[in-house]
Amino acid sequence: MLGRYASSSLGGCRGGAARLDAALEFLYGREYGGRGLRPEEGPAETTPGSLEESAPGLVTWLGEVRELFPRETAEMVERHALERYGLTELVTDPQTLERLEPSEQLLRTLLALKGHLGEQALVVARRIIRQVVEDLTRRLRTDVRRAMSGRLSRDRHSPVQIAANFDAAGTIRRNLKHFDAARGQLVLQEVLFFERNTRRLPWDVIVCVDQSGSMVGSVIHSAVMAGILSGLPAFRVRLVAFDTADVDLTDHVEDPVEVLMRVQLGGGTDIGRAVRYCTQLVENPQRTVLVLVTDFCEGASPGELVRAVRGLAESRVTLIGLAALDGEAHPHYDRDVARRLADCGMSIAALTPGRLAEWLVAVTS
């Protein structure tokens, strides 16, 4: 309805509406070029759809977007600028980067472009990455720790009063004799709480994650998840990233930011090679879980991958292949390869980190 070619019909925008229109035109005016329309003549500063943005121009535009639109809308506009229109100046210029709202989507973009960042931009990028990762860790840690804390023992009660362990039915039965008929109320003389089985899992967890570009969301959540698990008692976590080579990041597993700064997104995919490397890390097969995070798009011989997985399954390593490990758990993967691995004994799924924690509890009980 609005935009450059609506001005003559609508009479143009004035005041605050004109600022809104200009801010949107600066970005979305590029659609006209994509549709084969001739750019308007005039100086650069009067041609909002120009592709020749300078860093100061982007800084001014970002300030306008933040001031004029709600936060969610501003973040969506920034995401379109990066993904749809390729304005990488937003992240390669330190001053512009400082003005971007830290978000998981921005983190994905920074990881994809970090090889092209200058020294100053890289310093800013690391600070943003740490902020996003710490926020993500805070949100996930509670769910993971709850799943790992043990199941309720519904045949035993505990003097420890924790709301999550409240035995509602048992409390009602225990206090029925205190029912006040005159007031129609149940008077609670004793409140019951279930005992929770604290669980220590003496298992090794090997997280093997595909660092190809399409897996960036799963790479982020794998790094955070490995960091959380490494902080739990009785766990030994190993973290391996792979493309056509394998990078053992176990020494940095407690610091997801350092892990992400060392990941190199893109390149080919040799899943079989990575699984064979992880086989060397197995010390006690019956107390080892291998979490393979990949889209199963094998660039090498699928037969080699199948043989490696079958060997681990026969040695009684617990195996799960995750086509996605992120907040959405929407998988895109090679179903034929995944089916062949499932036939060898590997569970195949797409999970959120919290659901992965629940799965770990279930298979190691």
Side-chain angles (χ1 to χ4, degrees):
M1 292 174 60
L2 303 178
R4 186 186 313 165
Y5 295 100
S7 299
S8 59
S9 301
L10 299 177
C13 299
R14 295 178 177 83
R19 292 177 63 195
L20 289 169
D21 185 63
L24 293 176
E25 178 70 12
F26 180 89
L27 182 65
Y28 296 107
R30 290 160 178 75
E31 293 292 339
Y32 297 123
R35 296 171 187 172
L37 297 178
R38 186 178 62 187
E40 291 185 349
E41 299 294 336
E45 64 267 22
T46 62
T47 309
S50 169
L51 294 175
E52 299 178 356
E53 283 76 41
S54 64
L58 286 172
V59 170
T60 302
W61 173 72
L62 278 174
E64 281 283 276
V65 170
R66 290 296 173 77
E67 182 178 344
L68 295 172
F69 298 102
R71 177 176 175 177
E72 289 185 2
T73 304
E75 289 181 357
M76 179 183 67
V77 171
E78 291 172 6
R79 184 169 67 251
H80 287 170
L82 289 166
E83 293 181 350
R84 185 184 297 180
Y85 303 110
L87 294 185
T88 56
E89 296 91 338
L90 288 173
V91 295
T92 55
D93 176 71
Q95 185 181 6
T96 310
L97 184 56
E98 287 274 15
R99 289 176 173 263
L100 290 175
E101 186 72 26
S103 66
E104 188 173 330
Q105 183 56 50
L106 177 57
L107 170 56
R108 294 184 184 205
T109 303
L110 289 173
L111 292 179
L113 296 176
K114 72 176 189 292
H116 304 286
L117 302 182
E119 185 175 342
Q120 289 183 319
L122 202 57
V123 171
V124 179
R126 180 183 283 270
R127 186 164 65 247
I128 291 174
I129 291 172
R130 184 166 296 281
Q131 183 175 343
V132 176
V133 166
E134 288 177 351
D135 179 64
L136 188 59
T137 301
R138 279 193 299 270
R139 288 189 278 118
L140 295 179
R141 183 181 286 122
T142 300
D143 292 340
V144 173
R145 288 186 179 275
R146 183 184 299 117
M148 294 295 178
S149 63
R151 297 177 178 174
L152 293 176
S153 298
R154 298 188 178 276
D155 58 341
R156 296 197 302 272
H157 290 102
S158 168
V160 180
Q161 299 184 358
I162 300 176
N165 302 346
F166 177 55
D167 179 4
T171 297
I172 291 173
R173 286 194 299 269
R174 183 66 60 88
N175 292 278
L176 281 175
K177 59 185 176 182
H178 302 303
F179 181 74
D180 188 329
R183 293 190 298 169
Q185 293 181 345
L186 183 66
V187 180
L188 300 184
Q189 298 287 345
E190 186 177 359
V191 180
L192 302 180
F193 296 85
F194 287 121
E195 183 176 298
R196 186 175 290 273
N197 289 326
T198 56
R199 181 183 302 276
R200 291 185 179 274
L201 304 175
W203 287 64
D204 292 336
V205 178
I206 303 172
V207 181
C208 183
V209 58
D210 183 343
Q211 61 179 352
S212 60
S214 61
M215 296 296 295
V216 59
S218 293
V219 169
I220 293 170
H221 284 79
S222 295
V224 172
M225 187 65 176
I228 294 173
L229 291 176
S230 69
L232 297 175
F235 270 83
R236 184 171 64 169
V237 180
R238 296 181 180 273
L239 179 61
V240 177
F242 70 91
D243 41 36
T244 55
D246 315 309
V247 182
D248 196 323
L249 298 170
T250 303
D251 290 344
H252 308 286
V253 70
E254 295 181 359
D255 186 355
V257 175
E258 191 62 34
V259 168
L260 293 175
M261 293 303 294
R262 291 172 179 269
V263 164
Q264 299 295 327
L265 296 174
T269 308
D270 191 339
I271 311 173
R273 175 190 175 106
V275 172
R276 289 194 299 272
Y277 176 82
C278 291
T279 300
Q280 304 173 37
L281 304 178
V282 176
E283 297 180 2
N284 186 350
Q286 297 183 42
R287 284 289 183 269
T288 299
V289 175
L290 172 64
V291 181
L292 176 63
V293 186
T294 180
D295 57 11
F296 301 103
C297 296
E298 177 62 294
S301 168
E304 291 298 317
L305 170 60
V306 169
R307 279 189 285 275
V309 169
R310 182 181 292 116
L312 286 170
E314 290 174 349
S315 68
R316 302 187 66 181
V317 171
T318 302
L319 304 168
I320 184 170
L322 297 181
L325 177 64
D326 55 34
E328 302 297 329
H330 292 158
H332 299 280
Y333 64 104
D334 187 315
R335 295 178 182 274
D336 180 62
V337 172
R339 178 188 53 77
R340 293 177 66 181
L341 299 185
D343 291 341
C344 294
M346 173 177 279
S347 300
I348 305 295
L351 300 176
T352 63
R355 292 297 301 275
L356 174 59
E358 294 172 3
W359 181 87
L360 285 171
V361 170
V363 300
T364 57
S365 297

